[in-house]
Amino acid sequence: MAENLYKGLTDAEVLESRKKNGSNVLTPPEQDTWWKELLGKFYKFKGQEDDPDPLIRILLIAGILSLGISFYEHYALHQDWKVFFEPIGIFVAILLATVLAFIFEQKANKEFTILNQVNDDEQVEVIRNGKVTSIPRKDVVVGDIVVLNTGEEIPADGELLEAVSLSVDESSLTGEPLAHKTTDPAQFSKESTYPSNHVLKGTKIMEGHGIMRVLKVGDATEMGKVFEEAQIDDSVKTPLNEQLDGLADWITNASYIFAGLIICAQLVSFIGVWNWEGWVLIIPVVVFFWLVICKFGDWSGKACAWTIVGFIALFIGMVCGAFALVNPGAGDASWSMLLAHTLQTIMVAVTLIVVAVPEGLPMAVTLSLAYSMNRMFKTNNLVRKMHACETMGATTVICTDKTGTLTQNQMQVYKTNFFGDPSDEILYEGIVANSTAQLDTTGEKIQVLGNPTEGALLLWLKARGQNYVDLRVAAEKIEELPFSTERKYMASIVKSTTGKIILYLKGAPEIVFKMCKNVSGVTKEELEAQLLDYQAQAMRTLGFAYAEVAADFKISDIDKAPLTFLGIVAISDPVRTDVPEAVNEVVSAGIGVKIVTGDTPGTAKEIGRQIGLWNDNTDSEKNIITGVEFAELTDGELREKVGDLKIIARARPLDKKRLVEALQANNEVVAVTGDGTNDAPALNTAHVGLSMGDGTSVAKEASDITIIDNSFSSIGRAVMWGRSLYKNIQRFLLFQLTVNVAACFLVLIGSFFGETSPLTVTQMLWVNLIMDTFGAMALASLPPSANVMKDKPRNRNSFILSSSMLWELMSVGIIFFIITFGFYMFFNGAVVTSIPQMFHAPFEFGKDYLTGYEATLLFSIFVWTHFWYMFNARSFDTGRSVFKLKMSSGFWTIAIIIICGQLFITEIGYEFFNVEPMFHTLDWKFNPSGALDFAIIFGASSLVLWIREIYRAFQK
């Protein structure tokens, strides 16, 4: 090359260019501060991708109400500081759920940062001030003259001034592993994605060398445009978020209705005890309630919140007015009684809301996702965003690129056809003589430096125990004719290790064959048939020939050489060995697979055949489309056609993103796999973006999961984890909400029959936050089941609680309520000191309260029945006995923790939970009667498990 012909920019011109066009770095996405990311768990800031958990918001409202009541109790009623334990417990639940999610995501981001380091300080050769110099890649500016050499990454977009046998790997942008570049307009390719005389930032020179003038740097480059597109927030909600939103609305509506009923009935009872005045008051309230609902037109949390606020305000006003009418002469004492009763009623209502809202659910979901996140990392799935764990289970379509994802992105020799029984020395020497590629063996995986097709030949030699470096050194090269697209061959004259002068030829088989005088018994028709067969399989072919020549033979006389045809070699980028099975696994699971590639339709179709996606007998032109045809479709036409598409060939970077958006518009849950910069916009737009571990930094930045081992089979494992996780979420929802149904009815009905609530808020916080959360962890720690891959993807619009779950939780919840309420009513009227004594316990007329020990018995009965129900939840929807199911060590560990935690509450922390110890007296002496009571309750409550097992046995 003639570097001396170019003077390049002066120092002043460099500064002016940088000022005008910017520096050669990609503007990184704006990173939120850690405190903003943490607050994002409560409030959605502008540009934030994920919505806050709706249940967290409900908890915040419940916490604020509880805190206000605690302040009133402490300062107005002069109760001790323990009244603040309830709101503290709620806020602890909120912090645990949000902080845990924050910590796990920060940890994953740190691991990702290490995996995704980018070096902008790498040196680049440029010509400035008339001299060749080296500068950091980030300092390249528009107008710079850059020297390009084999193996280097192109630092910016530019126009070629010179190109000698130049081939560029553009797979990171187009999926095309080898694009020939030239400055000769006659050799420009009309089919290439980008002009033949342009090279692009981030692509790599595989062979040859050249000189370019920089046209665009940084964000203005093609890579920069793709990177910028990848940062756009499309605000795609995940299926789990949508379903949790629906669950939050359902819980909110149910708890507000229950709370409203309590306030209404309690206050009407106080002023009229079901006389006609009470009914006159209740009718306008009900009318007002439904008018507000009709005005909002929905049952959203916001509508219900405003409804209840207006409902309570109007009702209290009406109560006060009615009270004044019914008791016109009432003094201050009566008004104080009304105020105290009203506040007490509101406290009961708030207690019920706290009971209804599963405080532990957000933390349980977080812990489940975090657990899966860590386990998936061990199966080579680095999860950056927690929601991706579960969303993979809801995936209905996977859009994947070809190069590097389905294939190995390393050309290899598929088959050799040599004729005439040539010697190994001639074959091996002929290969290395006409090759400029190198093999980098320093890493775990051998990397090809230079032409990937030549690299495949070197790998073939290595597999046969041949050292190409030694062979190349031994064969002294005398003269060389480089490859050109016009000739379609290259040739070398070498002094062979045999002592002879030999001419070696390598190129297009049909051209090489035509030049040979000796065709080794092969006919033209036989050769063409073989070539057609390989081309149909999307393989590249090379022909080889040789001739012994005189010492003064000139390579320009190659047409006169007595060439002997050696044979042909078929080379391909082979499909990863695990891909066909992995594709079959996800297709069998009801998930569609679509290939999006920059390769030709023929190549893409053949890869589809090899992985089992394309069937010539059933698939036709409606199942494949080119990038040009794809771009001509309107959005409406694309939505109609997209379901049939299996392959998009010759695709441009943003085609995959448009494909994803069309699928999402058809209500599909889309996962995208890719390793190139061209995949980044689609990775970001999809519900789940899966980048490859050796992919570009832009692709990994845009993804939700990075597949470290680059294996498509890891996607099948991620789907299995996601589906199993969703099943586990359903199981612990069933477990936790069954507890809440029983507790809600207990608090609602119990508030009419006693002075105190059957269960205090602190007791419910233990059940909801600690026991239920640990139970959820036990269910979440269950290993994934391969059986879930036999199911079809779930309907993302379906309610997270299936009809069978609703029937289960309502029926079992009401049964548990009846059992617990029966004991509550018995304890309210009798004086019970132990379980055996209960059958002849004396009744105390007008007692209407629970003693401390009776509260302990009631609380224990409630907790242990639900503890045993956790085992029933484990076997729900499996059709199998819990004793035949695989239990993880984590499940048993957490079961022991729950037992120990309940004993800690009743025996040590009893003051905070308004109970008394069972195993010892208040002065810490052993209480054999209480120990016997514990044994009876623990054993009798296990009937919950045994009855279900007997019922299941009879069902069979």
Side-chain angles (χ1 to χ4, degrees), residues 696-715:
T696 65
S697 59
V698 178
K700 286 185 282 189
E701 184 69 44
S703 65
D704 303 302
I705 299 175
T706 297
I707 300 176
I708 299 171
D709 64 352
N710 306 308
S711 172
F712 192 91
S713 63
S714 294
I715 298 169

Side-chain angles (χ1 to χ4, degrees), residues 48 308 497 563 604 739 752 771 777 848 889 950:
Q48 181 177 319
I308 294 301
T497 53
L563 288 166
V739 177
F752 296 102
M771 177 185 165
M777 287 173 62
D848 205 27
S889 57
I950 294 170

Side-chain angles (χ1 to χ4, degrees), residues 880-927:
R880 299 171 62 192
S881 167
V882 69
F883 298 107
K884 295 182 179 179
L885 293 172
K886 183 180 179 181
M887 298 287 191
S888 64
S889 57
F891 185 94
W892 293 114
T893 300
I894 291 169
I896 293 171
I897 290 174
I898 293 174
I899 294 173
C900 294
Q902 178 64 13
L903 291 176
F904 175 84
I905 283 176
T906 57
E907 306 308 311
I908 298 176
Y910 50 87
E911 283 188 281
F912 289 101
F913 292 88
N914 301 315
V915 294
E916 291 182 0
M918 299 181 74
F919 283 86
H920 63 85
T921 60
L922 294 178
D923 55 357
W924 289 92
K925 293 181 180 178
F926 178 66
N927 180 11

Side-chain angles (χ1 to χ4, degrees), residues 683-750:
L683 288 167
N684 184 65
T685 303
H687 293 97
V688 182
L690 301 123
S691 62
M692 299 297 153
D694 60 2
T696 65
S697 59
V698 178
K700 286 185 282 189
E701 184 69 44
S703 65
D704 303 302
I705 299 175
T706 297
I707 300 176
I708 299 171
D709 64 352
N710 306 308
S711 172
F712 192 91
S713 63
S714 294
I715 298 169
R717 290 195 293 269
V719 171
M720 182 179 68
W721 268 101
R723 291 188 177 186
S724 297
L725 174 60
Y726 183 75
K727 288 284 188 183
N728 289 341
I729 289 175
Q730 284 189 310
R731 288 188 182 106
F732 69 67
L733 274 175
L734 175 66
F735 172 61
Q736 193 164 44
L737 292 179
T738 300
V739 177
N740 289 11
V741 166
C744 280
F745 279 106
L746 192 60
V747 173
L748 173 62
I749 305 301

